[in-house]
Amino acid sequence: MRYVSTRGNLSPIGFIDAVLMGMADDGGLLVPETVPIIPAKTLRAWRDLSYPDLAVAVLAPFIGDEITAVDLQGLIRESYGTFRDQAVTPLRRLDDRHFVLELFHGPTFAFKDVALQFLGNLYGYVSEKTGATIHILGATSGDTGASAIAGVQGKPGIRIGILYPHGKVSRVQELQMTTVQDENVLTLAVEGSFDDCQRIVKALFGEVTFKRRYHLRAINSINIARILAQVVYYFAAYLACLRAGVRGPVNFSVPTGNFGDIFAGYLAKRMGLPVDRLILATNENDILQRFQATGVYQPESVRTTYSPAMDIQVASNFERYLYYLCGENPEPVAALMAELQRTGQIVVGGEALSTVQSDFSAYRVGNDECLDAIAACASRHRYLVDPHTACAVRAAETVGPPDKPTVILATAHPAKFAEAMRLRNLSVDLPPEIRALFGKPESRRRVVEATREAVERELVRFLS
Ligand SMILES: *Cc1c(COP(=O)(O)O)cnc(C)c1O
């Protein structure tokens, strides 16, 4: 499989180069040259595959011959061997037409592990095969950093530096990053906001000589390998529904921030998975819900909510959807992105807007409504959901087409957000792995000033 840019100014490249490139060099995002179609008969034949075997089957056509079947199996087995549940992403039934797909059984109790365990092993594999030095640099508002660290800690040939806003991530998220003992991990608690962290990372990536000299690579959710790893669990969920006796297409309700997770569902649908509606659930940062309703994509200022991983205004993967909306034609995509740059908005109307509205339903969940949804789910179904998942529960109940079953994606374990649960007098049992974090020394943490110079000094010391 070869990969092209959504903006069209890049010669097609192979899978491994696409993983290493991250964002396309022309400023666009990488997408597969063609989307592989899975015939219904093949899908039926996959019904009883284990998660790792299914992952190999779904990913193989996207990778082509750059990784042998045996190596891919090894990578996948290693990536999902760290999950605490045998099924990797188990499906639970809530009631007669709602299911929950639990994506939080990986090392850091958030769904990002599904993609980042795989990406971490992939980086390890590439470094071993090609001798490439891999130094990962990223900024996190919480979940991504912990998950990325868990994906590469202790791996030879790889070092990882993560910036996070000092005092502004949850205690569990912080401990997950700072108590790691491996020497190839550096976490910098920046005395500023998440935006400061991102600005500094961007500035460092922008210094081309620095970036080359220190072999900096990104881990943000625009990496195509992350999207592809997420496509797998849409197939796993559908097949689990089949085994549970469901017939015909299903809806998926997805708590959405950067549009990565729901875009993976869109890709699964294009591959032929019987998906009826993709339900886009947002918190008060509702840019995507407004786009679905009006065709206007216009970032506003970020609001703080109980679901911080969705406190985002510019959904970086959205451009990939635009590419398909424009008939896989890069020219209008480049024009729309230029329009966003120039005028601060993108406007889509007519037939394109009808397509958007038939691809997605959307619902915005307010802050109090999110807590209400947590409480209602607990009393009605005796099932605790975290604030991100709660948005998807509420969206499924409100705009999910009632004639089809809906799978709700559960993106974090409720124990990661115990503070929000307590606001509705719900207590969460902390899993032993999380409880154990509180006794460990924070040996990987350094506090730095929010300047590029201060961060650069720490990085040079760490990477030299
Ligand atoms: C990252 C994250 C999301 C949002 O996923 P996107 O791919 O950015 O849309 C939702 N829930 C949790 C818990 C997350 O960590």
Side-chain angles (χ1 to χ4, degrees), residues 109-112 142-144 173 221 226-227 230 233 254-263 288 307-310 312 316-317 386 388-389 409-413 416-417:
F109 294 81
F111 94 104
K112 290 189 171 72
D143 279 344
T144 305
Q173 288 173 325
S221 79
R226 286 185 59 174
I227 303 289
Q230 290 171 202
Y233 53 68
V254 187
T256 304
N258 257 322
F259 206 79
D261 203 1
I262 198 162
F263 178 76
L288 292 165
S307 44
M310 293 152 64
I312 291 170
S316 23
N317 274 288
D386 92 286
H388 304 78
T389 307
L409 269 48
T411 50
H413 191 290
K416 257 193 129 160
F417 297 94

Side-chain angles (χ1 to χ4, degrees), residues 257-258 284-291 294-303 311-316 318 322 336-337 339-347:
N258 257 322
E284 294 191 358
N285 296 286
D286 57 0
I287 176 168
L288 292 165
Q289 182 273 329
R290 286 183 281 119
F291 172 71
T294 65
V296 180
Y297 179 88
Q298 183 179 34
E300 288 176 353
S301 53
V302 177
R303 293 180 175 218
D311 290 350
I312 291 170
Q313 281 291 329
V314 180
S316 23
F318 180 66
L322 280 182
L336 287 170
M337 295 313 290
E339 182 185 324
L340 178 63
Q341 193 67 280
R342 201 177 55 246
T343 65
Q345 62 174 32
I346 288 176
V347 183

Side-chain angles (χ1 to χ4, degrees), residues 127-148:
S127 138
E128 200 184 300
K129 286 270 157 169
T130 67
T133 305
I134 294 182
H135 290 159
I136 297 164
L137 176 65
T140 184
S141 59
D143 279 344
T144 305
S147 208

Side-chain angles (χ1 to χ4, degrees), residues 2-312:
R2 296 195 307 170
Y3 290 81
V4 295
S5 166
T6 49
R7 301 200 192 166
N9 289 315
L10 183 83
S11 312
I13 54 175
F15 173 73
I16 289 177
D17 284 335
V19 172
L20 289 176
M21 190 176 281
M23 176 180 270
D25 283 349
D26 67 354
L29 300 183
L30 294 163
V31 285
E33 202 167 34
T34 54
V35 174
I37 302 296
I38 308 303
K41 205 169 119 223
T42 307
L43 190 56
R44 279 196 299 277
W46 287 354
R47 203 187 99 132
D48 296 309
L49 291 184
S50 67
Y51 191 94
D53 288 346
L54 180 66
V56 171
V58 172
L59 292 174
F62 286 106
I63 293 172
D65 54 13
E66 285 191 8
I67 301 178
T68 65
V70 173
D71 285 351
L72 182 59
Q73 275 164 9
L75 279 174
I76 300 264
R77 219 165 289 140
E78 206 180 328
S79 303
Y80 300 113
T82 55
F83 278 59
R84 291 174 302 277
D85 195 289
Q86 183 73 42
V88 180
T89 59
L91 187 78
R92 314 240 179 260
R93 193 186 264 278
L94 278 191
D95 58 28
D96 55 347
R97 60 183 190 87
H98 292 105
F99 294 86
V100 172
L101 185 69
E102 294 183 345
L103 300 174
F104 51 70
H105 295 286
T108 72
F109 294 81
F111 94 104
K112 290 189 171 72
D113 290 329
V114 180
L116 286 166
Q117 283 288 302
F118 177 64
L119 184 57
N121 286 315
L122 202 55
Y123 272 144
Y125 174 86
V126 171
S127 138
E128 200 184 300
K129 286 270 157 169
T130 67
T133 305
I134 294 182
H135 290 159
I136 297 164
L137 176 65
T140 184
S141 59
D143 279 344
T144 305
S147 208
I149 289 170
V152 300
Q153 66 184 88
K155 285 203 191 329
I158 302 184
R159 284 183 222 178
I160 183 166
I162 294 289
L163 278 60
Y164 69 92
H166 188 34
K168 297 194 179 79
V169 301
S170 85
R171 189 66 185 137
V172 170
Q173 288 173 325
E174 180 168 40
L175 290 171
Q176 282 178 332
M177 294 189 275
T178 55
T179 59
V180 169
Q181 298 298 310
D182 301 271
E183 304 255 311
N184 69 332
V185 175
L186 175 72
T187 54
L188 295 175
V190 174
E191 293 177 308
S193 66
F194 172 59
D195 285 341
D196 292 324
C197 297
Q198 263 193 320
R199 181 176 46 74
I200 294 168
V201 166
K202 254 198 177 149
L204 291 171
F205 273 107
E207 280 180 58
V208 178
T209 44
F210 185 80
K211 178 182 162 190
R212 293 240 172 88
R213 172 134 151 243
Y214 291 100
H215 309 281
L216 299 186
R217 322 260 174 199
I219 35 114
N220 39 14
S221 79
I222 46 131
N223 197 300
I224 188 68
R226 286 185 59 174
I227 303 289
L228 298 178
Q230 290 171 202
V231 169
V232 175
Y233 53 68
Y234 284 89
F235 280 83
Y238 174 78
L239 295 170
C241 283
L242 267 191
R243 294 195 298 273
V246 168
R247 294 290 164 262
V250 298
N251 308 308
F252 283 92
S253 183
V254 187
T256 304
N258 257 322
F259 206 79
D261 203 1
I262 198 162
F263 178 76
Y266 177 77
L267 207 52
K269 187 174 180 180
R270 286 194 83 97
M271 292 171 74
L273 191 73
V275 175
D276 185 40
R277 227 17 118 84
L278 289 163
I279 301 162
L280 198 161
T282 75
N283 61 24
E284 294 191 358
N285 296 286
D286 57 0
I287 176 168
L288 292 165
Q289 182 273 329
R290 286 183 281 119
F291 172 71
Q292 190 273 353
T294 65
V296 180
Y297 179 88
Q298 183 179 34
E300 288 176 353
S301 53
V302 177
R303 293 180 175 218
T304 300
T305 72
Y306 298 118
S307 44
M310 293 152 64
D311 290 350
I312 291 170

Side-chain angles (χ1 to χ4, degrees), residues 404-425:
K404 308 259 183 345
T406 298
V407 175
I408 294 154
L409 269 48
T411 50
H413 191 290
K416 257 193 129 160
F417 297 94
E419 297 90 341
M421 319 302 284
R422 274 196 289 274
L423 295 173
R424 282 290 191 272
N425 296 319

